[in-house]
Amino acid sequence: MSKAKTADQINPNDAPLAATIPIDAASQSVKDVAAIDLGSNSFHMVVAKVIGQELQMVSRHKQRVRLGSGLDAHNNLSHESMERGLECLAMFAERLQGFDVENVRIAATHTLRVANNAHIFIQRAQEVLPFPIEVIPGEEEARLIYLGVAHTQQETDTKLVIDIGGGSTELIIGKRFEAKLVNSKQMGCVSFTHKFFSKGKLTKKNFSKAIIAAQQRLEPLANQYKKKGWDVALGSSGTIKAIKEVLIGLGYEDALITLKRLEHLIETLCEHDNISGLDLKGLTVERQPVFAAGVAILTAIFKALSIKEIHFSEAALREGVLYEMEERFERSDIRMRTTENLAIKHSVDLEHAASVKGQAREFLTQVHDELGIKKKSPLFDLLDWSSLLHEVGLSISFRGFHKHSAYILQHTNMPGFNSEQQLVMAALARFQRKSLKLQELPEFNLFKRKHILSLIRILRLSILLNGQRSDEPLPALNLLLKGDTWELTSNDEQWLENNKLLYADLMIEQELWASAEWDLKFA
């Protein structure tokens, strides 16, 4: 699928993407889309138009927020850092007036992954910017970074992509548009600045400590990366861009980053007493406080992975988010591929899972209006995926398999899913059977608790009705909602008379529902 950029945004190192809009573009459907990256150091937004099957970049916006520097020793965000973030989002909101909710995707990374009070910031942010904020796992961040870089670079067989953020560093090896080896390490230019350059001192000793610490974190994966190999190494985002610009200022006009040049850069930095005194051509005032830590981390990566040279890529996480949004308009959703792969990996009974999925989808379709769930809500897909994966825990043990399933769905790397989507699926798996200890249900930011509780009821009923795994189809069933009472009915008056085991199971389920103050009836 071809992509298009505006003329002033085409990088000479980029692949020759579609440079113009087709002549008949006016007759094609046009859709405005936007992607926002809530990073630890900066917030970024890209806006584009989808014209037919092309993606045309319209504008890019960036604001230094330093959210990560607002984390205290207990991983709580300060009021001041939240305010800086909210001010930025208020500016972004002005640009996004008139955008449809489904055409804006906001991805939050390391700082909001680790902050204990992230939910407070997200709640306040949605009052300013009325679009869902997804906190994405580190591996998902890495995959999306790779996707953004891969879509904007010349085609090569395999690529190593490196992104050093404020709180984490992502390393990915991939082929074409698919990430093959993905890692996210908790080391970033903000966190390393606090740890190794807290007083602003620029000494070879401080650099050595920072480099060794980063190498230690990379040690478990270094051999795996070197064994897999790559044809070209690419760096993305602000840290590597700043290093490239400073190296150009030092006379390396080809913009290549090498270990020898990084060592020269460290020597140059150590000629200054303090970070605050840095005056290097190409280094912005905003990047100055965390620059030394970024140089140390990249030097460690060069040494750990034996990298010869790195080229810079303008694209990063937000472009990856944007391109994936565009792909979902036309192509199969990566989340379905992830679901299918996970089901196969854990030897799920696919025929049974498909039966549960079909019944669950039918029930939700029947009652979504009464539940206040829109027909295009992502909850439909989440219920589908949960139905297909509710038995992954059986690969560990039948005893307590619902808890094993919940753990797998919450903690497995699942490309395409954000943290809350995985949390919803884990919750549905956790409460698919046995007692309903609803006080253990986690809090959600993107979804309403009452809707998750409704999905739990639907999934439980769908699993129970297919519990005998029989080839004999069940009669058509209707789910009726009368206030807080849920009632199962069928046009076949003998459906329970002919299914005595099912009737016994429904009686037990009725008691379990009653313990949670739910009311289940069946005719």
Side-chain angles (χ1 to χ4, degrees), residues 300-523:
I301 294 172
F302 262 87
K303 290 184 174 182
L305 303 188
S306 302
I307 298 172
K308 293 181 179 179
E309 63 184 29
I310 285 179
H311 302 258
F312 175 67
S313 168
E314 290 285 351
L317 172 63
R318 52 268 178 198
E319 285 80 14
V321 170
L322 201 60
Y323 281 116
E324 184 163 83
M325 287 173 65
E326 189 268 346
E327 285 177 348
R328 287 180 185 172
F329 299 146
E330 302 294 337
R331 298 205 273 283
S332 63
D333 195 330
I334 186 175
R335 291 171 293 187
M336 184 51 73
R337 298 199 299 274
T338 294
T339 301
E340 292 168 351
N341 290 339
L342 194 60
I344 293 169
K345 176 182 177 181
H346 290 277
S347 303
V348 167
D349 181 341
L350 296 177
E351 187 175 345
H352 172 67
S355 297
V356 172
K357 173 192 168 187
Q359 188 64 70
R361 167 68 71 144
E362 174 62 26
F363 280 159
L364 184 55
T365 300
Q366 290 177 11
V367 299
H368 71 90
D369 280 336
E370 293 96 319
L371 295 174
I373 296 176
K374 295 180 180 179
K375 197 167 186 179
K376 292 185 178 181
S377 168
L379 290 171
F380 276 86
D381 288 334
L382 281 172
L383 182 60
D384 283 350
W385 296 320
S386 301
S387 300
L388 290 173
L389 296 174
H390 73 278
E391 287 189 338
V392 290
L394 281 173
S395 62
I396 298 175
S397 170
F398 175 76
R399 184 182 176 88
F401 80 81
H402 54 299
K403 295 180 180 178
H404 300 318
S405 294
Y407 184 87
I408 290 170
L409 293 177
Q410 184 171 350
H411 297 288
T412 295
N413 175 29
M414 296 182 66
F417 290 90
N418 63 50
S419 297
E420 183 147 330
Q421 288 169 336
Q422 289 192 228
L423 190 62
V424 169
M425 290 190 294
L428 265 60
R430 165 68 177 81
F431 293 103
Q432 66 177 282
R433 63 196 285 265
K434 302 279 188 176
S435 59
L436 286 157
K437 299 177 182 178
L438 297 179
Q439 69 275 12
E440 297 178 4
L441 190 70
E443 295 294 325
F444 302 97
N445 289 311
L446 298 178
F447 304 102
K448 295 179 180 178
R449 179 183 173 88
K450 66 177 183 178
H451 289 160
I452 303 304
L453 291 173
S454 295
L455 294 194
I456 289 172
R457 299 190 213 195
I458 289 173
L459 183 58
R460 287 178 71 102
L461 287 175
S462 302
I463 292 170
L464 188 149
L465 290 167
N466 287 278
Q468 297 178 47
R469 302 176 191 254
S470 173
D471 292 334
E472 290 295 321
L474 287 167
L477 296 170
N478 297 309
L479 185 57
L480 303 175
L481 271 57
K482 299 176 181 177
D484 290 332
T485 300
W486 288 38
E487 183 175 359
L488 275 174
T489 65
S490 174
N491 292 332
D492 181 356
E493 296 180 357
Q494 303 298 315
W495 75 286
L496 286 178
E497 183 67 27
N498 296 331
N499 293 276
K500 289 184 169 57
L501 183 57
L502 174 58
Y503 178 72
D505 289 342
L506 280 169
M507 293 288 287
I508 294 172
E509 185 70 3
Q510 189 178 53
E511 292 177 7
L512 292 171
W513 281 40
S515 69
E517 298 183 352
W518 295 351
D519 189 16
L520 173 63
K521 292 185 178 180
F522 33 91

Side-chain angles (χ1 to χ4, degrees), residues 9 41 52 58 69 81 97 102 111-112 145 167 213 229 243 248 256 266 268 276 331 390 409 429 494:
Q9 292 166 330
N41 203 38
V58 174
S69 65
S81 64
Q97 288 184 12
E102 61 268 23
T111 295
L112 291 175
I145 289 167
I243 292 171
I248 292 173
L256 284 178
I266 290 173
T268 303
S276 60
R331 298 205 273 283
H390 73 278
L409 293 177
Q494 303 298 315

Side-chain angles (χ1 to χ4, degrees), residues 176-302:
R176 291 183 59 79
F177 301 130
E178 186 177 356
K180 301 287 188 179
L181 186 55
V182 176
N183 272 281
S184 178
K185 306 299 290 184
Q186 288 199 33
M187 56 181 189
C189 57
V190 172
S191 56
F192 264 48
T193 296
H194 290 325
K195 190 168 185 179
F196 299 103
F197 302 95
S198 60
K199 296 180 180 178
K201 290 290 184 180
L202 294 173
T203 65
K204 289 186 177 181
K205 184 177 180 180
N206 286 351
F207 271 105
S208 179
K209 287 181 178 179
I211 292 168
I212 290 172
Q215 282 183 281
Q216 287 175 325
R217 298 190 188 187
L218 294 168
E219 191 174 8
L221 55 83
N223 285 337
Q224 187 181 12
Y225 275 71
K226 288 190 285 188
K227 184 177 180 180
K228 194 165 189 68
W230 56 87
D231 294 305
V232 62
L234 299 160
S236 68
S237 292
T239 296
I240 295 178
K241 181 179 182 180
I243 292 171
K244 180 205 73 168
E245 295 293 342
V246 172
L247 287 175
I248 292 173
L250 291 175
Y252 301 109
E253 295 183 359
D254 60 5
L256 284 178
I257 303 173
T258 67
L259 179 58
K260 187 175 181 180
R261 293 178 181 185
L262 286 173
E263 290 171 342
H264 176 204
L265 178 54
I266 290 173
E267 289 178 3
T268 303
L269 290 170
C270 290
E271 292 172 2
H272 298 76
D273 292 331
N274 198 284
I275 288 175
S276 60
L278 285 179
D279 184 18
L280 296 173
K281 185 178 179 182
L283 181 62
T284 64
V285 175
E286 294 83 4
R287 177 60 55 175
Q288 180 181 304
V290 296
F291 183 69
V295 173
I297 293 171
L298 187 57
T299 301
I301 294 172
F302 262 87

